[in-house]
Amino acid sequence: MPQDLFGTPVIAAPMAGGTSTPAFVEAVHRAGGLGFLAAGYKSVAAMQAEVRTIRESGARFGMNVFVPDPAQLPPSAAVLAELEDYRLQLRADARRYGVELPQLRLDDDDEWQAKIDALLADPVELVSFAFGLPGLDVVRALQRAGSAVLATVTTAAEAVQAAEQGVDALVVQHTSAGGHSAAFLPAPGAVPGGAEPGGTTAELLAEVRSFVGLPLVAAGGIMDAAGLDAVLRAGAVAAQLGTAFLRTDQSGARQLHKDALADPHFTRTRLTRAFTGRQARALENEFVRDHPEAPEAYPAVHHLTAPLRAAAAAAGDAERLNLWAGTGWRQAQAGPVADVVHGLLAGR
């Protein structure tokens, strides 16, 4: 795959849950970047509708898909017990908003195989995967259909496994990134609750480069032109940014989330499983502090807390909402997407 496949050093991360809308992706394209839609939490029909919408705009785009975790399906008896215990813990939150907690929902991310089949039947230019590897057969099938395939990795060991599956490029995600970690192998020396690994995005990138020769996209903590330059000098062909775009006009993030990123009340981010059962970086609020030992059970916890998050949003309660944010959140700007992209590309 040529190093200039992306055509730009600025890639807007696929942010599932409503942030990366077709309008957002189109705005990134018009400004000189490249955006990814997110298939996570969507039905196949919803994914296909977004593809049709963005194609009608004429914008370039990619599609990101979550890989189901086979270790969670079906969950062990121990995990089921932890989930039931967590459901009991959440009763106080449910009473706060007068909502009912759902029964446990144990499944993968909405129609995994059907999404792959849809992307094979109607190929898009770029397909990226997070939370795991899709398998050699899926990678080859997508490539035969005309798609370039990207895998998201968080360590050199994951990068080697991804390269062995024949992917075209890697998104190298550092722990400073906002939202969910894409990790799918246990980190060396990992501890329950999610330790905060050291190093920088550029350092992680250099380590991965020493093991694989694929084009690399850097992700994590990149908020401005200086951050972009740093990862490009370290060998990335592009940078993938999420938090930098969250407050923009075209972002589909809730206004409550956008406002929280600019609120001095929030003073730090933290890795947490409280909202979804998968480690993710968010602004530290009451919900994060109240539930430090949430079970590692994605997406079961995501389904369990969904009505609580919706109720918190409706009530304007930022203390109980999943406020995804990378470590550089204070630099996130309000205003048009174009202002962010042009600032990143200034002088290029």
Side-chain angles (χ1 to χ4, degrees):
M1 183 187 75
Q3 297 264 326
D4 63 351
L5 173 77
F6 305 114
T8 175
V10 176
I11 297 174
M15 293 174 278
T19 301
S20 294
T21 65
F24 170 76
V25 172
E26 180 184 358
V28 172
H29 169 82
R30 301 297 177 207
L34 173 67
F36 273 72
L37 297 171
Y41 313 131
K42 291 186 179 75
S43 67
V44 174
M47 181 189 79
Q48 291 172 315
E50 290 200 346
V51 168
R52 288 193 297 271
T53 298
I54 195 67
R55 278 187 173 145
E56 289 172 0
S57 76
R60 289 186 67 209
F61 70 99
M63 177 63 72
N64 177 261
V65 184
F66 291 164
V67 179
D69 181 358
Q72 302 287 342
L73 301 171
S76 67
V79 170
L80 282 172
E82 288 182 38
L83 282 167
E84 289 292 356
D85 182 64
Y86 193 51
R87 189 171 184 276
L88 290 176
Q89 293 177 39
L90 294 174
R91 283 183 174 177
D93 295 278
R95 287 194 296 269
R96 176 194 298 253
Y97 301 118
V99 299
E100 291 290 329
L101 288 174
Q103 295 301 310
L104 294 183
R105 177 177 164 187
L106 309 171
D107 59 13
D108 64 14
D109 172 59
D110 292 330
E111 306 171 288
W112 153 260
Q113 187 57 55
K115 288 176 180 175
I116 298 301
D117 292 342
L119 291 170
L120 291 173
D122 186 17
V124 302
E125 181 183 359
L126 302 159
V127 179
S128 68
F129 292 95
F131 302 172
L133 300 175
L136 182 60
D137 290 346
V138 171
V139 172
R140 287 179 173 172
L142 288 167
Q143 290 168 335
R144 286 194 299 269
S147 300
V149 178
L150 290 72
T152 310
V153 300
T154 64
T155 64
E158 291 179 347
V160 170
Q161 281 204 7
E164 290 173 349
Q165 291 200 3
V167 299
D168 297 293
L170 300 176
V171 177
V172 180
Q173 184 198 56
H174 185 258
T175 184
S176 55
H180 288 98
S181 167
F184 55 87
L185 291 179
V191 296
E196 294 271 4
T200 66
T201 301
E203 289 168 344
L204 175 60
L205 194 77
E207 181 184 1
V208 170
R209 280 188 67 208
S210 69
F211 284 89
V212 299
L214 293 170
L216 305 179
V217 176
I222 304 161
M223 300 294 295
D224 55 20
L228 174 60
D229 288 342
V231 296
L232 294 180
R233 287 196 304 271
V237 299
Q240 179 174 281
L241 302 88
T243 305
F245 288 108
L246 274 175
R247 293 185 63 209
T248 59
D249 297 341
Q250 292 88 350
S251 159
R254 292 183 173 102
Q255 189 61 47
L256 186 62
H257 189 174
K258 294 181 181 184
D259 293 343
L261 292 168
D263 188 341
H265 170 74
F266 297 105
T267 60
R268 58 175 289 187
T269 62
R270 183 167 160 185
L271 295 171
T272 179
R273 293 195 299 259
F275 296 106
T276 68
R278 184 177 185 88
Q279 187 166 274
R281 186 175 292 281
L283 294 179
E284 184 182 281
N285 60 9
E286 288 179 0
F287 194 89
V288 171
R289 289 191 293 271
D290 288 349
H291 302 291
E293 300 299 329
E296 185 176 359
Y298 175 90
V301 173
H302 161 78
H303 297 312
L304 193 58
T305 66
L308 301 178
R309 289 179 278 123
D317 186 358
E319 290 292 349
R320 319 303 291 179
L321 190 64
N322 52 316
L323 304 172
W324 305 139
T327 56
W329 90 94
R330 289 186 179 90
Q331 293 175 261
Q333 304 172 26
V337 158
D339 287 356
V340 176
V341 176
H342 294 162
L344 290 163
L345 294 175
R348 296 187 178 280

